[in-house]
Amino acid sequence: MAETELAEDKALAWTVKVWRGDAAGGGFAEYAVPARANQTVLDIVTHIQRELDPSLAYRFACRVGMCGSCAMEVNGRARWTCRTHASKVVTEGGTLELRPLANLPVIRDLATDMAPFFDKWAKAGGRFQPKDAKDGEVPADFAVVPPASKKRQEADAGIECIGCGVCYASCDIVAWNPDYLGPAALNRAWTLVNDVRDGARRGRLDAVAGDAGCHSCHSTQSCTERCPKNLDPSSAIAGLKRSIFWRFLEPGGDR
Amino acid sequence: MRGQVHLWAAQRVTAALLAVAVLVHLVTILLAVRGGLTAGEIIGRLSGSETWLLFYAVFALSAGLHAAIGLRNVGAEWLGLRGRRADLAWLGVGLLTALFGIRAAWGLYAA
Ligand code: SF4
Ligand code: SF4
Ligand code: FES
């Protein structure tokens, strides 16, 4: 009951500027939403779409921080909106600005085309290639990788990526170099490089080397700072650089 | 791809060389200016010394290459200058910078 009263009190409404448009361009539309204490940014977007303007396009699925589909720019910073409390990001004046994720083509309103992002995972050799089985085959037996082993822990460090694209949207190099594979794809590659069951290390290290790959990263750590899963793509990329450097020094390694 | 990795490695190696070279350079300056600095004193130290010639040649080459590789990145990221022609131009810039330094070192060695 108290919440509805709040909602009706104009003085306690927030002003949300939402970018509306498509690939051809667009601009901001303003909506007044109730200033509820316990709501996420995604709740606000859903409120706008259900109550104020059904034509608003946005994307979500799980609402609990697992699927990685709800990321947007909230007040100029990429975030997972389903796990972002609105009260924590709203300005003192009670405003929010929502834009589609940066560094990706816009489909409509708050929905971006994630295809270039995931294409780069494929380019970075992001597919697990079992050592003891041919292309795509299921290995005959389970591989035992002791959880306490160093390699296992290194692989585990980056495994929880939900593919939300927050890091990708926060990286200057992605903005400056359209070919740059980006933090998430490189983090995935590093996870597989550390996977003792994987047999495609050499090809993968080749795929992530050079100007489009790990060597363009400036280690500025925006990706690490903003990853909602607290992963550390910046360190993963440093690991790739190290592995490629040492491979050069191995006899016959530079092939 | 491999060339790009070589460039990255070269920049790390030249950075390490530069760290040492700049330190030696600064210490030399601090010691040399004590009691005033004269052209004669500088020539006295450097003329005919292969060690100093080699030191300054490596220093100049590292500086030239290091700067050119860095500028190549800046050019690619901020100005969109990419490709073979840009690479050759940056190589020219790097070698030219190095050449100026090496020529000066040679001049003092031969003086
Ligand atoms: S550390 Fe590298 S990948 Fe991460 S944001 Fe910075 S440049 Fe991008
Ligand atoms: S590394 Fe983090 S920010 Fe990047 S896609 Fe994965 S979960 Fe999202
Ligand atoms: S809706 Fe699935 S992570 Fe936000």
mmCIF file of all heavy atoms in Angstrom, chain A residues 173 176-178 206 209-212 215-216 218 241 244-245 248 254, chain B residues 1-2 4-9 12-13 72-73 76-78 82 87:
data_model
loop_
_atom_site.group_PDB
_atom_site.id
_atom_site.type_symbol
_atom_site.label_atom_id
_atom_site.label_comp_id
_atom_site.label_asym_id
_atom_site.label_seq_id
_atom_site.Cartn_x
_atom_site.Cartn_y
_atom_site.Cartn_z
ATOM 1 N N ILE A 173 39.651 0.011 -26.433
ATOM 2 C CA ILE A 173 40.284 -0.579 -27.616
ATOM 3 C C ILE A 173 39.224 -1.151 -28.557
ATOM 4 O O ILE A 173 39.352 -1.066 -29.772
ATOM 5 C CB ILE A 173 41.300 -1.671 -27.217
ATOM 6 C CG1 ILE A 173 42.283 -1.143 -26.177
ATOM 7 C CG2 ILE A 173 42.069 -2.180 -28.427
ATOM 8 C CD1 ILE A 173 43.077 0.048 -26.623
ATOM 9 N N TRP A 176 38.042 1.680 -30.518
ATOM 10 C CA TRP A 176 39.002 2.235 -31.478
ATOM 11 C C TRP A 176 39.385 1.272 -32.593
ATOM 12 O O TRP A 176 39.805 1.689 -33.657
ATOM 13 C CB TRP A 176 40.299 2.648 -30.735
ATOM 14 C CG TRP A 176 40.109 3.786 -29.803
ATOM 15 C CD1 TRP A 176 39.169 4.773 -29.896
ATOM 16 C CD2 TRP A 176 40.871 4.068 -28.626
ATOM 17 N NE1 TRP A 176 39.300 5.647 -28.840
ATOM 18 C CE2 TRP A 176 40.343 5.240 -28.059
ATOM 19 C CE3 TRP A 176 41.971 3.449 -28.013
ATOM 20 C CZ2 TRP A 176 40.863 5.810 -26.902
ATOM 21 C CZ3 TRP A 176 42.491 4.004 -26.860
ATOM 22 C CH2 TRP A 176 41.933 5.178 -26.310
ATOM 23 N N ASN A 177 39.305 -0.031 -32.315
ATOM 24 C CA ASN A 177 39.719 -1.013 -33.303
ATOM 25 C C ASN A 177 38.624 -2.055 -33.481
ATOM 26 O O ASN A 177 38.472 -2.955 -32.674
ATOM 27 C CB ASN A 177 41.031 -1.686 -32.841
ATOM 28 C CG ASN A 177 41.505 -2.727 -33.831
ATOM 29 O OD1 ASN A 177 40.894 -2.944 -34.872
ATOM 30 N ND2 ASN A 177 42.597 -3.391 -33.490
ATOM 31 N N PRO A 178 37.828 -1.914 -34.540
ATOM 32 C CA PRO A 178 36.674 -2.794 -34.733
ATOM 33 C C PRO A 178 37.053 -4.275 -34.804
ATOM 34 O O PRO A 178 36.202 -5.133 -34.592
ATOM 35 C CB PRO A 178 36.078 -2.332 -36.067
ATOM 36 C CG PRO A 178 36.847 -1.145 -36.499
ATOM 37 C CD PRO A 178 38.008 -0.924 -35.607
ATOM 38 N N ASP A 206 47.605 -18.791 -31.539
ATOM 39 C CA ASP A 206 47.774 -18.073 -32.807
ATOM 40 C C ASP A 206 46.595 -17.136 -33.055
ATOM 41 O O ASP A 206 46.759 -16.002 -33.495
ATOM 42 C CB ASP A 206 47.877 -19.060 -33.976
ATOM 43 C CG ASP A 206 49.235 -19.763 -33.996
ATOM 44 O OD1 ASP A 206 50.176 -19.243 -33.360
ATOM 45 O OD2 ASP A 206 49.340 -20.831 -34.626
ATOM 46 N N ALA A 209 46.736 -13.833 -31.030
ATOM 47 C CA ALA A 209 47.952 -13.011 -31.080
ATOM 48 C C ALA A 209 47.777 -11.839 -32.040
ATOM 49 O O ALA A 209 46.960 -11.887 -32.947
ATOM 50 C CB ALA A 209 49.134 -13.868 -31.503
ATOM 51 N N GLY A 210 48.526 -10.780 -31.803
ATOM 52 C CA GLY A 210 48.595 -9.683 -32.764
ATOM 53 C C GLY A 210 47.683 -8.509 -32.461
ATOM 54 O O GLY A 210 47.105 -8.408 -31.388
ATOM 55 N N ASP A 211 47.568 -7.619 -33.467
ATOM 56 C CA ASP A 211 46.856 -6.348 -33.287
ATOM 57 C C ASP A 211 45.366 -6.510 -33.001
ATOM 58 O O ASP A 211 44.755 -5.661 -32.358
ATOM 59 C CB ASP A 211 47.012 -5.481 -34.543
ATOM 60 C CG ASP A 211 48.417 -4.908 -34.659
ATOM 61 O OD1 ASP A 211 49.178 -5.002 -33.675
ATOM 62 O OD2 ASP A 211 48.751 -4.375 -35.729
ATOM 63 N N ALA A 212 44.761 -7.580 -33.524
ATOM 64 C CA ALA A 212 43.337 -7.780 -33.244
ATOM 65 C C ALA A 212 43.153 -8.557 -31.951
ATOM 66 O O ALA A 212 42.037 -8.732 -31.478
ATOM 67 C CB ALA A 212 42.663 -8.511 -34.402
ATOM 68 N N HIS A 215 47.572 -8.542 -27.923
ATOM 69 C CA HIS A 215 48.670 -7.572 -27.913
ATOM 70 C C HIS A 215 48.216 -6.119 -28.046
ATOM 71 O O HIS A 215 49.015 -5.199 -27.906
ATOM 72 C CB HIS A 215 49.694 -7.939 -28.983
ATOM 73 C CG HIS A 215 50.396 -9.227 -28.656
ATOM 74 N ND1 HIS A 215 50.067 -10.424 -29.246
ATOM 75 C CD2 HIS A 215 51.362 -9.508 -27.747
ATOM 76 C CE1 HIS A 215 50.811 -11.383 -28.725
ATOM 77 N NE2 HIS A 215 51.593 -10.860 -27.805
ATOM 78 N N SER A 216 46.932 -5.910 -28.339
ATOM 79 C CA SER A 216 46.435 -4.536 -28.403
ATOM 80 C C SER A 216 45.919 -4.031 -27.061
ATOM 81 O O SER A 216 45.641 -2.847 -26.901
ATOM 82 C CB SER A 216 45.298 -4.431 -29.427
ATOM 83 O OG SER A 216 45.839 -4.251 -30.704
ATOM 84 N N HIS A 218 45.666 -2.554 -23.525
ATOM 85 C CA HIS A 218 46.503 -1.602 -22.786
ATOM 86 C C HIS A 218 46.510 -1.877 -21.280
ATOM 87 O O HIS A 218 46.981 -1.056 -20.516
ATOM 88 C CB HIS A 218 46.017 -0.172 -23.018
ATOM 89 C CG HIS A 218 46.288 0.334 -24.395
ATOM 90 N ND1 HIS A 218 46.979 1.499 -24.640
ATOM 91 C CD2 HIS A 218 45.989 -0.159 -25.611
ATOM 92 C CE1 HIS A 218 47.071 1.699 -25.944
ATOM 93 N NE2 HIS A 218 46.466 0.707 -26.550
ATOM 94 N N LYS A 241 49.411 -13.005 -23.267
ATOM 95 C CA LYS A 241 50.636 -12.356 -23.752
ATOM 96 C C LYS A 241 51.863 -13.118 -23.260
ATOM 97 O O LYS A 241 52.803 -13.351 -24.015
ATOM 98 C CB LYS A 241 50.714 -10.916 -23.235
ATOM 99 C CG LYS A 241 49.761 -9.941 -23.910
ATOM 100 C CD LYS A 241 49.969 -8.573 -23.268
ATOM 101 C CE LYS A 241 49.008 -7.535 -23.810
ATOM 102 N NZ LYS A 241 49.035 -6.301 -22.998
ATOM 103 N N ILE A 244 52.290 -16.489 -25.061
ATOM 104 C CA ILE A 244 52.761 -16.331 -26.439
ATOM 105 C C ILE A 244 54.225 -15.912 -26.453
ATOM 106 O O ILE A 244 55.019 -16.392 -27.261
ATOM 107 C CB ILE A 244 51.860 -15.317 -27.187
ATOM 108 C CG1 ILE A 244 50.470 -15.915 -27.374
ATOM 109 C CG2 ILE A 244 52.471 -14.927 -28.517
ATOM 110 C CD1 ILE A 244 49.420 -14.947 -27.842
ATOM 111 N N PHE A 245 54.613 -15.067 -25.517
ATOM 112 C CA PHE A 245 56.005 -14.618 -25.435
ATOM 113 C C PHE A 245 56.932 -15.803 -25.147
ATOM 114 O O PHE A 245 57.939 -16.000 -25.824
ATOM 115 C CB PHE A 245 56.150 -13.557 -24.351
ATOM 116 C CG PHE A 245 57.528 -12.958 -24.267
ATOM 117 C CD1 PHE A 245 57.980 -12.093 -25.253
ATOM 118 C CD2 PHE A 245 58.379 -13.273 -23.216
ATOM 119 C CE1 PHE A 245 59.246 -11.539 -25.188
ATOM 120 C CE2 PHE A 245 59.650 -12.723 -23.140
ATOM 121 C CZ PHE A 245 60.082 -11.856 -24.135
ATOM 122 N N PHE A 248 57.595 -18.157 -27.984
ATOM 123 C CA PHE A 248 58.596 -17.667 -28.931
ATOM 124 C C PHE A 248 59.991 -18.161 -28.576
ATOM 125 O O PHE A 248 60.821 -18.413 -29.441
ATOM 126 C CB PHE A 248 58.634 -16.138 -28.931
ATOM 127 C CG PHE A 248 57.815 -15.552 -30.015
ATOM 128 C CD1 PHE A 248 56.739 -14.741 -29.710
ATOM 129 C CD2 PHE A 248 58.107 -15.803 -31.349
ATOM 130 C CE1 PHE A 248 55.961 -14.202 -30.704
ATOM 131 C CE2 PHE A 248 57.333 -15.268 -32.348
ATOM 132 C CZ PHE A 248 56.252 -14.468 -32.017
ATOM 133 N N ASP A 254 58.213 -20.912 -32.277
ATOM 134 C CA ASP A 254 57.685 -19.827 -33.113
ATOM 135 C C ASP A 254 57.235 -20.385 -34.461
ATOM 136 O O ASP A 254 57.775 -20.058 -35.502
ATOM 137 C CB ASP A 254 58.786 -18.773 -33.284
ATOM 138 C CG ASP A 254 58.289 -17.592 -34.098
ATOM 139 O OD1 ASP A 254 57.062 -17.475 -34.243
ATOM 140 O OD2 ASP A 254 59.110 -16.824 -34.580
ATOM 141 N N MET B 1 50.426 -11.595 -38.453
ATOM 142 C CA MET B 1 50.158 -11.796 -37.030
ATOM 143 C C MET B 1 51.470 -11.925 -36.255
ATOM 144 O O MET B 1 51.662 -11.315 -35.230
ATOM 145 C CB MET B 1 49.335 -13.070 -36.860
ATOM 146 C CG MET B 1 48.245 -12.951 -35.818
ATOM 147 S SD MET B 1 46.995 -11.805 -36.354
ATOM 148 C CE MET B 1 45.967 -12.899 -37.337
ATOM 149 N N ARG B 2 52.372 -12.757 -36.839
ATOM 150 C CA ARG B 2 53.613 -13.005 -36.137
ATOM 151 C C ARG B 2 54.446 -11.729 -36.057
ATOM 152 O O ARG B 2 55.066 -11.444 -35.047
ATOM 153 C CB ARG B 2 54.386 -14.119 -36.831
ATOM 154 C CG ARG B 2 55.170 -14.928 -35.821
ATOM 155 C CD ARG B 2 56.171 -15.820 -36.486
ATOM 156 N NE ARG B 2 55.591 -16.678 -37.505
ATOM 157 C CZ ARG B 2 56.363 -17.418 -38.309
ATOM 158 N NH1 ARG B 2 57.667 -17.334 -38.218
ATOM 159 N NH2 ARG B 2 55.813 -18.192 -39.205
ATOM 160 N N GLN B 4 53.319 -8.779 -35.862
ATOM 161 C CA GLN B 4 52.734 -7.920 -34.825
ATOM 162 C C GLN B 4 53.186 -8.352 -33.436
ATOM 163 O O GLN B 4 53.407 -7.523 -32.565
ATOM 164 C CB GLN B 4 51.205 -7.954 -34.932
ATOM 165 C CG GLN B 4 50.705 -7.304 -36.209
ATOM 166 C CD GLN B 4 49.283 -7.665 -36.546
ATOM 167 O OE1 GLN B 4 48.609 -8.364 -35.803
ATOM 168 N NE2 GLN B 4 48.813 -7.182 -37.684
ATOM 169 N N VAL B 5 53.329 -9.660 -33.261
ATOM 170 C CA VAL B 5 53.821 -10.144 -31.969
ATOM 171 C C VAL B 5 55.288 -9.742 -31.797
ATOM 172 O O VAL B 5 55.709 -9.347 -30.711
ATOM 173 C CB VAL B 5 53.653 -11.679 -31.859
ATOM 174 C CG1 VAL B 5 54.187 -12.168 -30.522
ATOM 175 C CG2 VAL B 5 52.187 -12.059 -32.007
ATOM 176 N N HIS B 6 56.062 -9.803 -32.900
ATOM 177 C CA HIS B 6 57.458 -9.355 -32.831
ATOM 178 C C HIS B 6 57.546 -7.892 -32.431
ATOM 179 O O HIS B 6 58.394 -7.502 -31.639
ATOM 180 C CB HIS B 6 58.152 -9.576 -34.170
ATOM 181 C CG HIS B 6 58.544 -11.005 -34.409
ATOM 182 N ND1 HIS B 6 58.420 -11.630 -35.623
ATOM 183 C CD2 HIS B 6 59.040 -11.936 -33.560
ATOM 184 C CE1 HIS B 6 58.833 -12.886 -35.510
ATOM 185 N NE2 HIS B 6 59.210 -13.095 -34.265
ATOM 186 N N LEU B 7 56.661 -7.077 -32.998
ATOM 187 C CA LEU B 7 56.657 -5.648 -32.651
ATOM 188 C C LEU B 7 56.394 -5.481 -31.158
ATOM 189 O O LEU B 7 57.056 -4.691 -30.479
ATOM 190 C CB LEU B 7 55.564 -4.908 -33.431
ATOM 191 C CG LEU B 7 55.872 -4.612 -34.890
ATOM 192 C CD1 LEU B 7 54.696 -3.882 -35.533
ATOM 193 C CD2 LEU B 7 57.133 -3.772 -35.008
ATOM 194 N N TRP B 8 55.444 -6.237 -30.653
ATOM 195 C CA TRP B 8 55.105 -6.151 -29.225
ATOM 196 C C TRP B 8 56.309 -6.544 -28.378
ATOM 197 O O TRP B 8 56.679 -5.850 -27.433
ATOM 198 C CB TRP B 8 53.908 -7.075 -28.938
ATOM 199 C CG TRP B 8 53.475 -7.062 -27.512
ATOM 200 C CD1 TRP B 8 52.607 -6.184 -26.935
ATOM 201 C CD2 TRP B 8 53.913 -7.945 -26.479
ATOM 202 N NE1 TRP B 8 52.473 -6.484 -25.599
ATOM 203 C CE2 TRP B 8 53.266 -7.556 -25.294
ATOM 204 C CE3 TRP B 8 54.784 -9.037 -26.426
ATOM 205 C CZ2 TRP B 8 53.439 -8.212 -24.081
ATOM 206 C CZ3 TRP B 8 54.970 -9.685 -25.215
ATOM 207 C CH2 TRP B 8 54.305 -9.266 -24.066
ATOM 208 N N ALA B 9 56.960 -7.660 -28.775
ATOM 209 C CA ALA B 9 58.128 -8.119 -28.017
ATOM 210 C C ALA B 9 59.252 -7.083 -28.108
ATOM 211 O O ALA B 9 59.913 -6.773 -27.109
ATOM 212 C CB ALA B 9 58.590 -9.472 -28.556
ATOM 213 N N ARG B 12 58.761 -4.303 -25.707
ATOM 214 C CA ARG B 12 59.093 -4.665 -24.321
ATOM 215 C C ARG B 12 60.604 -4.692 -24.113
ATOM 216 O O ARG B 12 61.111 -4.209 -23.105
ATOM 217 C CB ARG B 12 58.503 -6.037 -23.982
ATOM 218 C CG ARG B 12 57.113 -6.017 -23.362
ATOM 219 C CD ARG B 12 56.264 -5.030 -23.974
ATOM 220 N NE ARG B 12 54.949 -4.812 -23.415
ATOM 221 C CZ ARG B 12 54.030 -4.149 -24.076
ATOM 222 N NH1 ARG B 12 54.279 -3.672 -25.283
ATOM 223 N NH2 ARG B 12 52.871 -3.911 -23.535
ATOM 224 N N VAL B 13 61.310 -5.269 -25.085
ATOM 225 C CA VAL B 13 62.765 -5.375 -24.946
ATOM 226 C C VAL B 13 63.408 -3.982 -24.976
ATOM 227 O O VAL B 13 64.256 -3.655 -24.140
ATOM 228 C CB VAL B 13 63.342 -6.273 -26.071
ATOM 229 C CG1 VAL B 13 64.859 -6.217 -26.078
ATOM 230 C CG2 VAL B 13 62.864 -7.707 -25.887
ATOM 231 N N ARG B 72 52.910 3.948 -33.752
ATOM 232 C CA ARG B 72 52.117 3.098 -34.650
ATOM 233 C C ARG B 72 50.779 2.747 -33.978
ATOM 234 O O ARG B 72 49.727 2.790 -34.624
ATOM 235 C CB ARG B 72 52.906 1.826 -34.969
ATOM 236 C CG ARG B 72 52.133 0.814 -35.777
ATOM 237 C CD ARG B 72 52.981 -0.424 -36.034
ATOM 238 N NE ARG B 72 52.227 -1.438 -36.755
ATOM 239 C CZ ARG B 72 51.512 -2.396 -36.170
ATOM 240 N NH1 ARG B 72 51.451 -2.469 -34.858
ATOM 241 N NH2 ARG B 72 50.846 -3.267 -36.909
ATOM 242 N N ASN B 73 50.836 2.417 -32.691
ATOM 243 C CA ASN B 73 49.601 2.101 -31.969
ATOM 244 C C ASN B 73 48.690 3.319 -31.856
ATOM 245 O O ASN B 73 47.482 3.229 -32.064
ATOM 246 C CB ASN B 73 49.916 1.578 -30.559
ATOM 247 C CG ASN B 73 50.587 0.213 -30.605
ATOM 248 O OD1 ASN B 73 50.499 -0.484 -31.618
ATOM 249 N ND2 ASN B 73 51.271 -0.154 -29.544
ATOM 250 N N ALA B 76 47.117 3.953 -35.180
ATOM 251 C CA ALA B 76 46.070 2.981 -35.529
ATOM 252 C C ALA B 76 44.808 3.230 -34.718
ATOM 253 O O ALA B 76 43.697 3.217 -35.251
ATOM 254 C CB ALA B 76 46.573 1.563 -35.289
ATOM 255 N N GLU B 77 44.978 3.501 -33.414
ATOM 256 C CA GLU B 77 43.812 3.590 -32.548
ATOM 257 C C GLU B 77 43.092 4.937 -32.642
ATOM 258 O O GLU B 77 41.872 5.002 -32.622
ATOM 259 C CB GLU B 77 44.222 3.322 -31.089
ATOM 260 C CG GLU B 77 44.459 1.841 -30.848
ATOM 261 C CD GLU B 77 45.226 1.566 -29.568
ATOM 262 O OE1 GLU B 77 45.408 2.499 -28.763
ATOM 263 O OE2 GLU B 77 45.644 0.413 -29.385
ATOM 264 N N TRP B 78 43.868 6.016 -32.738
ATOM 265 C CA TRP B 78 43.231 7.339 -32.721
ATOM 266 C C TRP B 78 42.999 7.913 -34.113
ATOM 267 O O TRP B 78 42.119 8.730 -34.299
ATOM 268 C CB TRP B 78 44.069 8.319 -31.877
ATOM 269 C CG TRP B 78 43.945 8.033 -30.409
ATOM 270 C CD1 TRP B 78 43.312 6.974 -29.830
ATOM 271 C CD2 TRP B 78 44.465 8.821 -29.330
ATOM 272 N NE1 TRP B 78 43.413 7.046 -28.466
ATOM 273 C CE2 TRP B 78 44.113 8.166 -28.126
ATOM 274 C CE3 TRP B 78 45.192 10.011 -29.271
ATOM 275 C CZ2 TRP B 78 44.465 8.678 -26.881
ATOM 276 C CZ3 TRP B 78 45.549 10.502 -28.027
ATOM 277 C CH2 TRP B 78 45.190 9.841 -26.842
ATOM 278 N N ARG B 82 46.240 2.289 -40.532
ATOM 279 C CA ARG B 82 46.594 0.872 -40.416
ATOM 280 C C ARG B 82 47.120 0.373 -41.749
ATOM 281 O O ARG B 82 46.959 1.013 -42.780
ATOM 282 C CB ARG B 82 45.361 0.044 -40.030
ATOM 283 C CG ARG B 82 44.873 0.342 -38.630
ATOM 284 C CD ARG B 82 43.845 -0.683 -38.154
ATOM 285 N NE ARG B 82 43.487 -0.396 -36.770
ATOM 286 C CZ ARG B 82 42.487 0.411 -36.404
ATOM 287 N NH1 ARG B 82 41.755 0.995 -37.327
ATOM 288 N NH2 ARG B 82 42.234 0.643 -35.128
ATOM 289 N N ASP B 87 52.775 1.006 -41.656
ATOM 290 C CA ASP B 87 53.857 0.312 -40.946
ATOM 291 C C ASP B 87 55.216 0.735 -41.488
ATOM 292 O O ASP B 87 56.150 1.009 -40.727
ATOM 293 C CB ASP B 87 53.691 -1.209 -41.081
ATOM 294 C CG ASP B 87 52.584 -1.746 -40.182
ATOM 295 O OD1 ASP B 87 52.072 -0.949 -39.358
ATOM 296 O OD2 ASP B 87 52.238 -2.927 -40.298
#
